[in-house]
Amino acid sequence: MRDDCNIYVRSRRAGERVKRNITCFIERRLKLKVNETKSAVARPAERKFLGFSFTRDRKRRIAAQALVRFKRKIREITARTRGISIEQIARNSPPTYAGGRATSAFARRPQC
């Protein structure tokens, strides 16, 4: 079972305190293991969650790693050496690529 969450607080000191208390609660009370290598106290712009992150002015954006991974997949699908037309590629592509516009609109990301 895997559940991810983000907790936002005002200061780094509050973040350290909340992280310590939440980790203690999860490990002692719920008897679950917390992965310390993935746990962090950081600015929202420095972290990603479910493929998204936040800008300094509190707007959503697609996380850099997710965008790089998406572009790599698109380049593989639309490679010129495949020998098929762009229409065939569009018909045969998975629906996740078709939903890219909706994801982009959700993230309020500026157009590349």
Side-chain angles (χ1 to χ4, degrees), residues 46-101:
E46 297 169 5
R47 305 291 293 174
K48 72 178 179 80
F49 183 66
L50 302 176
F52 292 94
S53 60
F54 293 94
T55 62
R56 290 176 87 55
D57 54 348
R58 298 180 181 178
K59 292 185 180 175
R60 291 179 304 263
R61 69 174 179 193
I62 298 174
Q65 301 95 330
L67 196 57
V68 167
R69 192 170 48 249
F70 177 75
K71 286 181 179 181
R72 188 173 355 119
K73 287 180 185 178
I74 292 297
R75 285 187 185 109
E76 287 174 11
I77 289 173
T78 59
R80 293 181 184 170
T81 58
R82 290 192 62 196
I84 59 175
S85 70
I86 195 73
E87 289 83 14
Q88 289 174 319
I89 291 171
R91 276 196 304 268
N92 297 335
S93 66
T96 54
Y97 301 122
R101 256 191 271 162

